[in-house]
Every structure is written in structure tokens, then in C-alpha cells.
Amino acid sequence: MDIQEEKTELNAHNKKEYPPMHTAEHILNQTMVRLFGCPRSKNAHIERKKSKCDYELAEDPGAEKLDEVERIINEVIDRHLPVSYEYVSWEKAGKLVDLSKLPDDASETLRIVRIGDYDVCACIGDHVQNTSEIGHFKFLSHDFTDGRLRVRFKLTE
Ligand SMILES: [Zn+2]
């Protein structure tokens, strides 16, 4: 790595997220991208007790398909994957991840977050060090309106 970490200036993260829930959000995003080819959630509300994420989908995936999403997420969590960081230039980051969600004033050096070999994205939030710290993932409800799937979920032991 040719970028010195001490030179890195990251933008202030204006909301403090609960690391296990926020890390689960990464895994959920990647699972939705893999199964449905949709973008990562652009509208997420992450809280300690329960969270919600919206996804742009052409049609309602239905309860059975979401059971599969839940099962895959828990399989990923149960692999006890390490969360790792890399600081890279904007240019290099663009080859690794979709940067369209980032604000225009994002810092020149971006932090890339990897969850084992499962997910990679640019993020300055707080994460667990290993997916073994997340617990397990459970959907609480979902609804689908006008191309928007909203899921609510929580973490269990
Ligand atoms: Zn994150």
C-alpha cells in the first residue's frame, strides 16, 4: 500500500451506528446485490434494536425469497469473517466499489471496508472486527410499493 495512513483525512461520520447492526447492513446489501442485481440501499435507517433498508426492485421478491436472503446472511455471519480496512485513492477505489452513493465532498482518500471475501465497499462507519460478533439476522417485515422494497430487521443471539 503506497498511501500513508497518518496522512489520511476522513470525513466526519455524522451518525454513530451500532457496529453489529451496521456490519449486518453491509452483508444485507451485498446479498441483495447478488440475488437481485439491485443497487445497495440508498435509504437506510440503522438502529440498535431494529433497522430498515429500502431497495429498488422491479417486483416484490416475496417472503420465500427473503427467507433465502436471511439464510444466506446468517451463513455469511457464521463463517466468522474478519472485517478489514484499506485506504486508497479515489481513483483506485472507483475500480473496487460503486462510489455513486458518496457525497461530492468525500475526502480524497477513501476507506475501503472488506468483510472477508464477501463484501467490499467504501465506508467510514463503525464495524465489528469479525462477523462472529454480530449474532444473527432476522427480518421482521417487508413491504413493496412502486418499485421500492422496504425491509425491517433485527439482530438476535
Ligand atoms: Zn460500514
Side-chain angles (χ1 to χ4, degrees):
M1 192 168 71
D2 52 6
I3 299 162
Q4 305 248 315
E5 274 196 34
E6 55 265 37
K7 284 187 189 164
T8 305
E9 264 186 57
L10 296 171
N11 299 316
H13 197 54
N14 44 19
K15 52 176 182 179
K16 199 83 176 155
E17 287 147 333
Y18 178 53
M21 190 61 111
H22 174 64
T23 310
E25 178 197 357
H26 279 240
I27 298 172
L28 169 63
N29 275 329
Q30 179 62 240
T31 306
M32 295 299 291
V33 170
R34 288 185 186 209
L35 260 65
F36 303 109
C38 61
R40 299 174 81 93
S41 180
K42 292 184 180 73
N43 184 25
H45 195 78
I46 304 300
E47 299 282 354
R48 182 179 292 258
K49 281 194 171 171
K50 61 177 183 177
S51 298
K52 65 180 177 188
C53 285
D54 289 353
Y55 293 95
E56 297 161 19
L57 289 180
E59 53 187 42
D60 186 350
E64 214 166 289
K65 201 76 183 165
L66 288 175
D67 282 349
E68 190 186 341
V69 172
E70 187 178 281
R71 182 180 55 75
I72 292 169
I73 291 170
N74 284 317
E75 279 174 9
V76 171
I77 289 171
D78 285 340
R79 285 167 62 199
H80 294 183
L81 298 172
V83 177
S84 63
Y85 302 99
E86 184 186 356
Y87 295 87
V88 302
S89 66
W90 189 281
E91 190 188 355
K92 190 177 170 196
K95 292 174 188 147
L96 296 170
V97 296
D98 175 19
L99 299 176
S100 61
K101 219 182 117 180
L102 292 183
D104 290 340
D105 62 348
S107 55
E108 263 179 54
T109 303
L110 295 174
R111 189 174 74 164
I112 300 295
V113 182
R114 282 193 176 81
I115 302 179
D117 57 2
Y118 192 72
D119 183 48
V120 55
C121 84
C123 182
I124 51 175
D126 290 331
H127 310 88
V128 297
Q129 290 184 305
N130 189 288
T131 60
S132 62
E133 298 162 49
I134 294 175
H136 287 98
F137 179 97
K138 184 153 186 52
F139 281 127
L140 294 168
S141 66
H142 82 278
D143 59 77
F144 183 83
T145 321
D146 296 333
R148 186 218 66 191
L149 173 74
R150 172 164 292 172
V151 294
R152 295 179 183 79
F153 55 95
K154 67 172 184 174
L155 299 180
T156 62
E157 293 296 304

